[in-house]
Amino acid sequence: MTLDNHFSVSRDVSIHAHADRLPEAPPAAGSPPPAAQAAGTSRFHESARAQVQGAASYVDDIPEVKGTLYAAPILSTVAHGRLLGVDSKAALAMPGVRDVILARDIPGDPVLGNFSHDEPVFALDRVEHVGQVIGVVVADSVMQARRAARQVKCQIDALPAILNVHDALKAQSYVLPPVFVKRGDAQAALKAAAHTLHGTLEVGGQEHFYLEGQIAYVLPQEQNQWLVYSSTQHPGEVQHWVAHALSIASHAVRVECRRMGGGFGGKETQSGHMAVWAAIAARKLNKPVKLRMDRDDDFLVTGKRHPFAYDYTAGFDDTGRLTGLKLLMAVNCGFSADLSGPVADRAVFHADNAYFLENVEIASYRCKTNTQSHTAFRGFGGPQGMIVIEAIMGDIARQLGLDPLDVRRRNLYGIGERDVTHYQMKVEDNILVPLLSKLELTAQYRRRKQAISAWNSQHSVIQRGIALTPVKFGISFTATLFNQAGALVHVYTDGSCQVNHGGTEMGQGLNTKVAQIVADELGIAFEQVLATASDTSKIPNASATAASAGTDLNARAAQYAARTVRDSLAQFVAGLDGCGAGAVSFRSGQVITPAGRRPFTEVVKLAYANRIQLWSDGFYRTPKIHYDKTTLTGRPFYYFAYGAACTEVAIDTLTGESRVLKVDILHDVGNSINPAIDIGQIEGGFVQGMGWLTTEQLVWNDQGLLSTHAPSTYKIPTTGDIPEHFKVDLWPEPNREDNVFGSKAVGEPPLMLAISVFEALRDAVASARPDARVQLEAPATAENVLRALGRLDG
């Protein structure tokens, strides 16, 4: 039987995404208000109709000012070397070319204004990766600039390059010092353990592959002021970087972003580079400049998810309970620090996933290599922390001949005991046991496990595997200062409302959820609320829309702003009706008191006539969080988001091909503000994680060139990779912490549900090996599956 024939007879179940089902939850600190009507229901994304009509505006759709010029980057073709000179004569002689902008043209600091201050705006006296930007060519058209950029000749004296973490470890080449976290006595525990195992694992990076590429459009304004349109997750950082490079005050730079066509972390810092390069060109030529990256250049210039390599020794007892663990994480950071420090820290924080580590030593090495500077990607180190402990759980089960789910359950965090993480945070909201138990039953894990075993014993070519894995993901920026947000709410005299906040919309539905929360706070219809473009002139110093905290922070700030307006109106109406302000309620477009009711629009007009303020700001900072970044101990997270996935796969042992057959997910989003959007995030996150662990392979050649720099060679999942049985259910309980609407973050945690795909593939490989020992590297491409089966060398 061929692989396709096997799959054609097994795909018989439809998707069950319960977008219309709301969790029935008992009241809690974070429960929704009783009058909630906009939130808690599935609503279309606020831009959905405009997007399908082609009417939603992105940066490249903004009408261009007369005289706009276009920039294209000049890229290094050498992984490491001394930059001796740049010959731009041929490029300058080409039609339409206005100038070539190099490091000498930077008015301010030639090094980017980031925390680590280790990355030059343009290459200075050396280049450190293939694709490093040496300068930009500016021309009258996009194609003129791109063609001319390829004619710039750079004289580079090549130096030895470090292209992998193993060589970096030998050379002690680091972008940041190593970090060590310990609890208990791992060495003694390993020595006393009934069983031990040693293993290694390699996990590759991942390209963000946002549909809208990197782009910035910079326009000179009067009096040395600048307007920057940027496709960015962090307008405030773009503002700071541009001001830093131009040597001007931040108040002279305004950054606006209405929406992005995807970000996934790739536009948290990387978008700042485009804006700075365009701004320097605009400053020199005193003309508007747009820089839109070609997709191939985007691949070569921008950072990816961090590749990791692991070395571990685990000790455990006869039941599979882990008693000791020594773990080395080698993080491929690329040539500069970027966000590698917090990414590597979060990997350390999530090396436990859902399991209590009693005696543990973790060494995290932040390796400097001559590749792109790797950056944020959905999960931000969490996936790389979790995947290794899940691999260890699977290895323990196979060594002892136990069911991997039983080993996982044996090691789960407890309640009232075994409930403190290795970084000294108590797990107070643990729902792991009931959540896993429910999914085990609804997914019919035990029955399917037996059926798969029977199948594998009768078939030699197609082997199947199954895995059920949990997720426990901490929510908050690990850098405590970023856990703050601001918002503005304006109510107009016709009763309509405009809200602006510091978050950015990248398709995840943030603006939709914020509008739902504001509508309920004011007791008006969702359609009366409009969320507007992120703008540094409205909300200053906003944090990046990242860490899955966009709604937690910005919706709460907007709720507080709306509440201030509502309270002002309540006091005004209470004065009219002779009652206390607490007796005034707002719902269904009505303002209700013991004396009667008035339309919200009428109350607003009366309030304006009486000079009552109809706008307010709101500010929110996450409570309870703190941690010592030198020891990586404390409470870095406000709460945990939980989930579990049961995945069934099949592999062809002759070709190494694999396919995901069935997926069952039970995920914890608290009280869902918008179930349709949340389920979309769960499905999308899972598929993106599946791509990271199966098909999305980044390959650098021995010269440091990223060979997989286009869709022809870099394979993201397609619709054909999605199993027909793809079932998503929401866990029916509100957030136990006082979070907006009782909800939980949903952006990143679902990606790690896809670790179940990798563990199911390892289960299938083990069934085909006589020794049941699995050495499968990620992504589990056909070649890597064949290597794990022992049928391909190298």
Side-chain angles (χ1 to χ4, degrees), residues 33 487 489 499 514 517-518 521 554-564 618 739-741:
V489 167
V499 57
V514 170
I517 294 296
V518 169
E521 198 65 32
N554 295 287
R556 189 60 119 185
Q559 184 182 45
Y560 286 172
R563 185 170 296 170
T564 301
N739 204 45
V740 62
F741 197 72

Side-chain angles (χ1 to χ4, degrees), residues 40 56 114 137 279 789:
N114 55 19
V137 172
L789 291 168

Side-chain angles (χ1 to χ4, degrees), residues 564-588:
T564 301
V565 175
R566 187 197 68 190
D567 289 348
S568 295
L569 292 174
Q571 290 175 8
F572 169 65
V573 172
L576 296 177
D577 286 4
C579 65
V584 182
S585 62
F586 295 71
R587 62 177 181 271
S588 301

